RNA sequence: GGUGAGGUGGGUGAGAGGCUGAAACCACCGGUUUGCUAAACCGACGUACGGGUAACACUGUACCGCGGGUUCGAAUCCCGCCCUCACCGCCA
């Protein structure tokens, strides 16, 4: 969430910027500011009353110690009214405080100035394209048919074992998955990311820290007996490493990478692009996360984009980088680049990565701060993350784009990881 | 699943109704000393939200796992919850 200080100092800016996200904030901002003033006044009143009470209590203690029991008891009589007063003032304060909070969490992050206005994915801006075009012959197959033909993925079996959206990879399909995971992790490590193996299940605090809770609760699998959630992305456990910490500025940026299975209920998205690997309830992903100094976070974002780009290049996939428009961005993001690869048989662009700078928005919830020599007070760090990369759609594109009459050709970089050159 | 112990500042750990936002030690930071390093010594050393300031200073309140209660006054007493650790049982 945005900090109240920022809103207080830049109310018009907030309203103006959120228009880019098609969010009308004018009323909420107005209300927040007026409640904030009330809150401060209420706090002053309550604090003053408490100060009086504290003073009086100290005096009573002194009187008792000096043996002046009568005077002490007399003073005691004056406390009940004060006490009641404090109760009321406290209640007033916390009810206003709560209201401010309720409003604050409704405000999305303000977009970076370079974010284009727009409503839907149609308005996103392609900032870069790369990779060579793929020419397929007339009898080319979509990846779900290739997967079946070469016995790589058994979707039906997944349905038997679990349900739709939980495919079973087998044989070379399974090995290809493992190869990709190792390749992505090695690449990340070479780019300076520390590898993490996080828990795949997190508690409520963590879900809240990265913003999945409370609003997007329905997107996660919830283990109700223990009140834990299956992670929808490694971002959740990895970023929460930095929850409630004060870092040293000289240690920034922190760079972590993690492979994890990701679990998403995808409630409400049935029937839309769910064929084959396009949308799953469980999939594999390697994530990269950075905790950066606010002055450096956009450099870091570019670095992360470059890293992801190098991956799709090495996999020899046709790709494009898209800067999301305000309407297509997530609630928490200030700037997001999506990576899409061309899936030649489906003749579709598939999103395989989303790289975002959340600035201080997520850090504010997480209470992820740092301290430098110049400032006594800790300040909020910037958090960033990106997929590097999500596997299923990469697999889909690899299968479709590399199909030949002899079989499916594995890209050179993956051959050492796979241990085979062709799927046939 | 059973039994027991315990949650205090960055860490160890004292405190058992008022003089405790919290001893002591360690770590970190600043300084003195030193050819350099180390040691020694001195000093500073939590967070949040207010007030205050150009900014500091200064100052009020809250915070000893979380939430209630008792009391003029709670880290300390009472109740509920959460979590951690140890041992036993089961198990990868």
């Amino acid at each position: 969430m945005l900090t109240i200080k920022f809103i207080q100092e830049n109310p018009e800016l907030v309203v103006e910027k959120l228009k880019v996200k098609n969010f009308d904030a004018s009323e909420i901002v107005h209300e927040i500011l007026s409640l904030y003033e009330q809150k401060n006044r209420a706090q002053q009143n309550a604090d003053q009353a408490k100060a009086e009470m504290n003073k009086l209590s100290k005096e009573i203690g002194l009187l008792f110690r000096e043996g002046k029991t009568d005077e002490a008891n007399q003073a005691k009589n004056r406390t009940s009214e004060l006490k009641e007063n404090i109760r009321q003032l406290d209640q007033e304060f916390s009810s206003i405080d709560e209201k401010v909070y309720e409003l604050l969490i409704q405000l999305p992050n303000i977009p970076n100035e370079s974010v284009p206005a727009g409503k839907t994915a149609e308005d996103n801006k392609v900032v870069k394209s790369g990779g060579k075009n793929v020419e397929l012959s007339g009898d080319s197959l979509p990846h779900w048919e290739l997967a079946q033909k070469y016995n790589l993925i058994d979707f039906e079996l997944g349905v038997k074992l679990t349900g739709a959206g939980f495919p079973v990879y087998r044989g070379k399909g399974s090995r290809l998955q493992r190869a990709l995971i190792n390749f992505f992790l090695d690449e990340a490590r070479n780019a300076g990311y520390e590898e993490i193996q996080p828990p795949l299940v997190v508690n409520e605090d963590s879900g809240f820290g990265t913003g999945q809770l409370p609003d997007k609760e329905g997107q996660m699998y919830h283990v109700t007996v223990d009140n834990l959630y299956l992670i929808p992305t490694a971002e959740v456990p990895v970023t929460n490493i930095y929850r409630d910490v004060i870092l040293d500025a000289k240690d920034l940026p922190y760079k972590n990478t993690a492979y994890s299975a990701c679990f998403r209920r995808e409630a409400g998205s049935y029937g839309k692009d769910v064929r084959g690997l396009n949308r799953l309830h469980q999939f594999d992903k390697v994530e990269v996360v950075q905790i950066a100094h606010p002055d450096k976070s956009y450099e870091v974002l570019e670095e992360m984009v470059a890293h992801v780009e190098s991956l799709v290049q090495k996999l020899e996939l046709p790709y494009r980088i898209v800067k999301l428009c305000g309407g297509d961005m997530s609630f928490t993001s200030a700037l997001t680049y999506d990576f899409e690869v061309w899936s030649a048989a489906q003749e579709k662009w598939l999103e395989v990565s989303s790289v975002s700078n959340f600035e201080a928005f997520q850090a504010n919830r997480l209470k992820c701060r740092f301290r430098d020599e110049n400032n006594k007070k800790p300040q909020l760090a910037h958090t960033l993350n990106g997929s590097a990369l999500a596997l299923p759609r990469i697999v889909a594109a690899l299968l479709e784009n590399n199909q030949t009459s002899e079989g499916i050709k594995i890209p050179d970089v993956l051959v050492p990881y796979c241990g085979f050159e062709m799927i046939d």
Side-chain angles (χ1 to χ4, degrees), chain A residues 13 106 319 391 411:
Chain A
L13 183 81
Q106 285 176 39
Y319 66 94
L391 294 231

Side-chain angles (χ1 to χ4, degrees), chain A residues 176-191 193 195 257-259 284-288 307-308 310-312 314-315 317 352 387-392 394-395 398 413-414 417:
Chain A
L176 176 60
Q177 292 278 113
R178 188 153 53 86
L180 281 165
I181 292 163
N182 284 329
F183 168 64
F184 291 146
L185 283 174
D186 283 351
E187 291 291 310
R189 200 187 58 230
N190 290 335
Y193 293 90
E195 190 175 329
T257 183
Y259 152 72
D284 295 295
K285 180 160 63 64
V286 171
E287 184 80 359
V288 287
H307 174 68
V308 174
S310 76
L311 299 177
V312 288
K314 285 177 183 172
L315 292 172
L317 291 168
V352 292
S387 345
L389 287 161
L391 294 231
I394 289 288
V395 170
L398 285 177
V413 282
L414 283 184
Y417 289 94

Side-chain angles (χ1 to χ4, degrees), chain A residues 147 150-154 157 168-176:
Chain A
Y150 295 108
N151 195 26
L152 303 173
I153 306 168
D154 195 331
L157 185 55
V168 176
Y169 302 86
R170 59 196 320 165
K172 284 187 173 176
S174 181
R175 290 168 69 189
L176 176 60

Side-chain angles (χ1 to χ4, degrees), chain A residues 268-280:
Chain A
S269 58
Y270 291 105
K272 202 181 164 224
D273 296 331
V274 296
R275 199 82 198 265
L277 295 171
N278 290 342
R279 176 173 256 109
L280 300 171

